[in-house]
Amino acid sequence: MYRPLRVKVRMDFKGVGKPGRFLFGGKPSDKAAEDLREQQVSVFRNVPIQGIQVEDIDMSAEVYTVHDEVNNAEVAYAPVILQLRAETLEDVVRFIARDDFRKIEIIDPPNMSLSKYDVERLLFRVAEEMRVYRSLLERKLNNR
């Protein structure tokens, strides 16, 4: 039996502002980012994820904005830090394969040793997540 992993994962949720019609209905990018963060945190709190236990959710980091060179617009990001307990390293892959993933810190164990079999399973899981991500992107692009 493996010892569970404890990790901190930082995700920055991107908010793109929507211009309003006339004087009403617009949403600034920072508000859009905050709303998306709230929505995602609600999912993390309420939807069970196999092999993952959410221990803590830190939303205290301030929303920040950067200039998007491609769209020539300001884009806001709302950070959140999830502290997770994972049964296996493969269970963590679904978090790092996301667009909003920024950083991971392994809290426990301080040292890990992976067998050939463990590395093969991990690489298989990464490839699987990439296939899922690619198919989502293709669907998104085809629906435009």
Side-chain angles (χ1 to χ4, degrees):
M1 179 82 181
Y2 291 108
R3 184 169 154 186
L5 263 77
R6 292 185 59 234
V7 298
K8 282 187 181 182
V9 177
R10 177 179 167 147
M11 294 186 205
D12 291 5
F13 296 104
K14 180 179 179 180
V16 180
K18 294 184 174 36
R21 300 185 195 276
F22 304 109
L23 299 174
F24 304 103
K27 182 184 267 191
S29 61
D30 58 339
K31 178 71 172 132
E34 285 178 358
D35 289 351
L36 182 57
R37 174 172 63 182
E38 290 285 336
Q39 178 186 16
Q40 290 296 309
V41 164
S42 177
V43 169
F44 292 136
R45 279 193 177 119
N46 299 312
V47 178
I49 302 167
Q50 185 176 348
I52 297 288
Q53 177 185 354
V54 178
E55 292 182 336
D56 188 42
I57 299 175
D58 180 3
M59 299 184 344
S60 65
E62 293 291 320
V63 174
Y64 65 93
T65 58
V66 294
H67 185 74
D68 182 356
E69 297 290 330
V70 175
N71 298 321
N72 196 30
E74 291 294 312
V75 180
Y77 290 91
V80 65
I81 297 172
L82 301 171
Q83 185 166 314
L84 308 171
R85 180 180 302 270
E87 291 176 12
T88 66
L89 201 51
E90 296 94 68
D91 293 329
V92 178
V93 170
R94 73 185 66 181
F95 289 91
I96 64 170
R98 296 172 55 118
D99 272 345
D100 31 50
F101 168 76
R102 294 296 177 267
K103 181 181 172 189
I104 186 166
E105 175 189 349
I106 297 175
I107 300 168
D108 194 47
N111 297 307
M112 293 192 319
S113 172
L114 299 177
S115 70
K116 173 184 165 190
Y117 176 70
D118 292 334
V119 173
E120 289 170 355
R121 280 190 5 222
L122 178 62
L123 292 174
F124 180 81
R125 181 61 183 219
V126 168
E128 196 175 79
E129 287 294 326
M130 295 307 291
R131 274 193 294 277
V132 168
Y133 178 72
R134 194 170 27 251
S135 74
L136 287 173
L137 269 180
E138 287 171 356
R139 253 187 275 148
K140 193 183 278 188
L141 291 173
N142 291 334
N143 288 337
R144 283 188 176 182

